[in-house]
């Protein structure tokens, strides 16, 4: 059975998560330049890819399961089962701007900078506001400072970067964390194996929680 893992911070958390239920992979911990790894007991195969690609591999069945941030799931429209909140990698989607910005629903059409246009658009649609979304791939914090946009929608962890750039959180949109996702066909064809992993993780999270994983 193949599991797609998100490169970077979630990769490290994922190793801890699988160790917590007795699945180790020395290959994954000492990976070098490899991108495909086996667990020590040969029951699982892991691949390391970018967050959006985790969704693609799982959706199309190239991976049976995956671990990816809820932020990526919310931004993309894909077809799979989201089965478990792993309680790690926690952060928030937030609307932020300079202290002068007012979320007042005024007639003025606001400009919003973000790496997550779908999340931002849905937030304002739910508020009944029509906004102009400007996609920024780099640091979005600079956009309202330079007057490019009125505000930003971005992922916030501690809020330190916002503060250092003279921005404040105007509104918290939602909490996000790492999630386990499963290919729909795999859930039927490999139900026993997948259900066993999910049960073990649920038991571990119930007994120890995110503090133990972190």
């Amino acid at each position: 059975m193949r599991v797609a893992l998100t490169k970077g911070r979630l990769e490290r958390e994922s190793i801890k998560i699988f160790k917590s239920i007795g699945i180790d992979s020395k290959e994954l911990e000492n990976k070098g330049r490899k991108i495909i790894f086996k667990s020590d007991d040969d029951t699982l195969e892991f691949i390391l890819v970018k967050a959006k690609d985790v969704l693609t591999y799982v959706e199309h069945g190239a991976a049976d399961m995956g671990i990816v941030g809820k932020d990526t799931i919310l931004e993309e429209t894909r077809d799979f089962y989201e089965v478990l909140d792993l309680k790690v990698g926690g952060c928030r989607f937030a609307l932020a701007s300079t202290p002068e910005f007012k979320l007042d629903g005024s007639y003025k059409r606001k400009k919003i900078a973000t790496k997550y246009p779908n999340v931002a658009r849905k937030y304002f649609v739910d508020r009944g506001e029509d906004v102009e979304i400007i996609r920024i791939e780099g640091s979005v914090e600079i956009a309202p400072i330079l007057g490019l946009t009125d505000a930003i929608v971005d992922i916030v962890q501690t809020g330190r970067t916002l503060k250092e750039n003279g921005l404040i959180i105007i509104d918290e949109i939602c909490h996000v964390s790492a999630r386990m996702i499963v290919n729909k066909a795999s859930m039927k064809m490999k139900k026993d194996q997948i259900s066993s992993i999910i049960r073990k993780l649920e038991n571990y999270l119930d007994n120890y929680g995110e503090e133990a994983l972190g």
Side-chain angles (χ1 to χ4, degrees):
M1 191 163 62
R2 186 175 297 136
V3 183
L5 305 179
T6 303
K7 288 181 178 179
R9 189 166 64 93
L10 278 190
E11 169 192 338
R12 296 186 290 274
E13 298 289 358
S14 298
I15 292 172
K16 293 180 185 177
I17 286 168
F18 281 102
K19 273 190 168 183
S20 75
I21 60 171
I23 299 173
D24 293 323
S25 175
K26 292 185 178 65
E27 286 188 2
L28 189 55
E29 292 185 69
N30 305 284
K31 60 182 182 294
R33 294 183 178 274
K34 292 177 65 177
I35 57 173
I36 301 176
F37 315 87
K38 288 188 178 295
S39 61
D40 294 350
D41 61 3
D42 282 335
T43 59
L44 294 180
E45 185 175 75
F46 299 101
I47 59 172
L48 286 179
V49 294
K50 292 183 178 181
K52 289 183 181 180
D53 293 337
V54 171
L55 305 187
T56 300
Y57 282 111
V58 172
E59 180 182 29
H60 293 281
D64 301 295
M65 308 175 73
I67 294 179
V68 67
K70 180 67 172 181
D71 53 316
T72 306
I73 294 172
L74 289 172
E75 180 61 22
E76 302 288 321
T77 302
R78 304 297 182 91
D79 190 27
F80 46 71
Y81 294 123
E82 180 183 331
V83 297
L84 194 60
D85 182 351
L86 296 169
K87 311 294 185 183
V88 295
C91 48
R92 300 161 287 164
F93 268 120
L95 174 71
S97 187
T98 57
E100 297 78 27
F101 178 84
K102 302 296 181 185
L103 189 60
D104 54 9
S106 65
Y107 68 89
K108 179 188 173 185
R109 190 172 189 240
K110 299 178 182 70
K111 292 182 179 180
I112 307 297
T114 186
K115 300 173 188 175
Y116 302 91
N118 292 330
V119 171
R121 189 173 293 108
K122 183 180 185 305
Y123 169 74
F124 281 100
V125 166
D126 289 346
R127 287 182 52 84
E129 292 190 53
D130 179 31
V131 299
E132 180 182 352
I133 303 294
I134 297 178
R135 184 163 192 161
I136 301 290
E137 293 299 332
S139 299
V140 297
E141 294 85 4
I142 197 172
I145 298 171
L146 297 182
L148 175 65
T149 63
D150 299 294
I152 66 172
V153 168
D154 201 16
I155 289 290
V156 177
Q157 289 181 298
T158 64
R160 181 178 176 182
T161 302
L162 294 178
K163 186 176 181 181
E164 289 179 349
N165 287 281
L167 304 181
I168 62 172
I169 293 176
I170 305 298
D171 192 21
E172 292 190 1
I173 298 173
C174 65
H175 174 79
V176 295
S177 56
R179 307 299 167 99
M180 178 163 281
I181 60 175
V182 178
N183 173 266
K184 288 189 171 182
S186 296
M187 184 63 94
K188 295 178 181 178
M189 302 296 293
K190 303 178 182 180
K191 183 178 179 180
D192 290 344
Q193 301 100 306
I194 291 171
S195 296
S196 175
I197 289 174
I198 293 172
R199 281 195 302 272
K200 288 177 182 177
L201 286 172
E202 285 176 334
N203 290 336
Y204 189 83
L205 291 169
D206 287 343
N207 291 327
Y208 299 99
E210 62 184 298
E211 184 177 345
L213 287 175

